[in-house]
C-alpha cells in the first residue's frame, strides 16, 4: 500500500512539473524573476503509531496514548517559474517524545509478565524532513492564499530507553536501552495557508511578510522497535513484538513564519502586488 501511494505521489509530482514546464514555455510575457526565502516555527499535532501504542500499553503497561506535540522549525528557498508557481528546497527538524513514569501492575485482560515495578520510559523520535516543493500562489497580492506539495525523504533517529526499579522478585525486569537506530523514510506533504505581505513599495528589490499554514505530512519509519524488549523479560512477551511497527513522524502540523521575497529587477506591477 505504501509503495503504491509513493508511486502515485511521484507520478502526480512529475505530471505537475510537466504541466508547469509547458505553461512556462507557452507564456508570451516574461515573469518577474523572484526568489522567496521562508523560515517558520512548527507544531506537529500528532505522530501516528497506533499499533506501537497499542502494544506499548497492553504489554508494557504504559499510560501514554500518543507522542507529545513537538515544536520544531523549517526553512526553504524557492524560485518562481511563473508569476504564480515556484519550486524549492525545504528542510526542517523536530523531535517527538513519550516520557512518563508509572508503576507496572498488569490487570486483566493483560497478562502479568513480571512483578510490580516502577518504570520510567523515554522514547524520542527526532526527524529531519528534506523535500522538493511545488507551490501555487494563485494571485500576486499583498494578502494571498497558497497551496503546495512536497516530496522527499525523512531522516530519523529513534532512541528508546527504560529505567526500571530494581527488584529481587522472580521475573523482575532490568533497565536498559531497548532501541537505538537511524532510519530513512519516504516523505510526502501537502500544505495550504495565507501569506500576509507587509506594506512597502512594489519597486523595492525585497518584500517581507508573515505566513500561517496548515499541512499534512506522511513519513513512516518502519522497524522492529520492540525486538529489544525480549531480553528484558523472564517470561517471554507475545511473539508479535518481533514484527515491524510503523511510527509515522508526519501528521497534521501548524506553521507560523516569515517570508522574504527578492526581486532580480524592478517590478512593473501595481503597489499591492507584493507576493
Amino acid at each position: 500500500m505504501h509503495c503504491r501511494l509513493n508511486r502515485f505521489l511521484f507520478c502526480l509530482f512529475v505530471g505537475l512539473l510537466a504541466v508547469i514546464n509547458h505553461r512556462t514555455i507557452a507564456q508570451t510575457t516574461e515573469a518577474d524573476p523572484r526568489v522567496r526565502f521562508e523560515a517558520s516555527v512548527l507544531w506537529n499535532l500528532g505522530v501516528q503509531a497506533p499499533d506501537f501504542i497499542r502494544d506499548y500499553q497492553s504489554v508494557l503497561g504504559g499510560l501514554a496514548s500518543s507522542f507529545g506535540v513537538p515544536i520544531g522549525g523549517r526553512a526553504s528557498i524557492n524560485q518562481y517559474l511563473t508569476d504564480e508557481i515556484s519550486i524549492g528546497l525545504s528542510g526542517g527538524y523536530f523531535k517527538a517524545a513519550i516520557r512518563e513514569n508509572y508503576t507496572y501492575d498488569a490487570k486483566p485482560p493483560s497478562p502479568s509478565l513480571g512483578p510490580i515495578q516502577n518504570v520510567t520510559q523515554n522514547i524520542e523520535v527526532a526527524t529531519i524532513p528534506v523535500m522538493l516543493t511545488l507551490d501555487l500562489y494563485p494571485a500576486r497580492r499583498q494578502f494571498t492564499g497558497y497551496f503546495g506539495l512536497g516530496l522527499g525523504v525523512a531522516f530519523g533517529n529513534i532512541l528508546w530507553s527504560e529505567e526500571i526499579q530494581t527488584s529481587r522478585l522472580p521475573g523482575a525486569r532490568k533497565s536498559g536501552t531497548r532501541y537505538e537506530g537511524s532510519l530513512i523514510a519516504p516523505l510526502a506533504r501537502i500544505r495550504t495557508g495565507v501569506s500576509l505581505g507587509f506594506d512597502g513599495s512594489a519597486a523595492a528589490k525585497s518584500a517581507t511578510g508573515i505566513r500561517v499554514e496548515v499541512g499534512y505530512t506522511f513519513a513512516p519509519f518502519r522497524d522492529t522497535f520492540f525486538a529489544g524488549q525480549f531480553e528484558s523479560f523472564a517470561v517471554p512477551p507475545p511473539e508479535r513484538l518481533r514484527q515491524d511497527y510503523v511510527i509515522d513522524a508526519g501528521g497534521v502540523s501548524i506553521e507560523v513564519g516569515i517570508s522574504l521575497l527578492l526581486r532580480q529587477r524592478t517590478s512593473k506591477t501595481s503597489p499591492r502586488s507584493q507576493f
Side-chain angles (χ1 to χ4, degrees):
M1 177 176 166
H2 290 159
C3 290
R4 281 192 221 141
L5 178 58
N6 293 336
R7 283 198 297 269
F8 170 75
L9 291 170
F10 177 77
C11 291
L12 176 62
F13 196 75
V14 171
L16 287 172
L17 285 178
V19 171
I20 290 165
N21 184 58
H22 175 75
R23 176 174 177 176
T24 303
I25 294 173
Q27 280 190 320
T28 57
T29 59
E30 184 181 356
D32 238 354
R34 293 175 296 158
V35 177
R36 188 179 76 253
F37 297 90
E38 297 177 352
S40 58
V41 176
L42 66 87
W43 291 264
N44 194 332
L45 301 185
V47 171
Q48 305 297 312
D51 293 337
F52 179 91
I53 293 295
R54 177 201 65 202
D55 285 339
Y56 172 78
Q57 293 176 332
S58 64
V59 178
L60 302 182
L63 304 178
S65 58
S66 64
F67 284 82
V69 176
I71 299 176
R74 187 181 69 83
S76 68
I77 180 172
N78 309 270
Q79 174 69 56
Y80 281 84
L81 298 180
T82 73
D83 283 344
E84 300 88 13
I85 298 171
S86 68
I87 59 172
L89 179 65
S90 171
Y93 175 83
F94 60 88
K95 181 188 288 186
I98 293 176
R99 295 187 178 94
E100 65 173 350
N101 178 274
Y102 61 88
T103 298
Y104 174 79
D105 185 11
K107 299 288 193 287
S110 298
S112 178
L113 300 175
I116 296 175
Q117 290 178 276
N118 184 265
V119 181
T120 300
Q121 297 280 5
N122 181 55
I123 308 173
E124 299 178 349
V125 181
T127 305
I128 300 177
V130 178
M131 71 189 98
L132 296 173
T133 61
L134 173 65
D135 295 323
L136 172 64
Y137 283 73
R140 288 187 62 183
R141 296 195 304 260
Q142 185 175 7
F143 305 141
T144 181
Y146 61 88
F147 174 79
L149 300 173
L151 287 177
V153 293
F155 300 92
N157 185 269
I158 299 178
L159 174 64
W160 183 2
S161 62
E162 291 181 307
E163 293 183 13
I164 304 177
Q165 178 188 25
T166 302
S167 174
R168 295 184 180 180
L169 294 174
R173 299 174 62 215
K174 296 182 179 179
S175 302
T177 298
R178 307 308 179 205
Y179 181 92
E180 184 174 11
S182 297
L183 301 170
I184 298 177
L187 180 149
R189 176 175 172 81
I190 58 174
R191 65 175 188 155
T192 185
V194 178
S195 177
L196 309 173
F198 295 141
D199 291 337
S201 171
K205 290 187 177 181
S206 66
T208 56
I210 296 176
R211 295 184 308 101
V212 180
E213 76 172 47
V214 176
Y216 182 85
T217 303
F218 176 71
F221 294 123
R222 180 185 295 271
D223 207 350
T224 54
F225 300 116
F226 277 95
Q229 291 287 351
F230 280 84
E231 299 177 0
S232 71
F233 282 97
V235 178
E239 193 64 23
R240 70 173 182 273
L241 296 190
R242 297 188 188 275
Q243 69 182 5
D244 282 357
Y245 287 80
V246 173
I247 297 178
D248 187 348
V252 176
S253 64
I254 295 175
E255 291 191 19
V256 178
I258 59 173
S259 296
L260 172 63
L261 187 74
L262 298 180
R263 302 184 182 93
Q264 294 172 280
R265 66 166 178 259
T266 302
S267 175
K268 299 178 181 179
T269 56
S270 67
R272 292 184 60 81
S273 298
Q274 300 288 330
F275 283 81

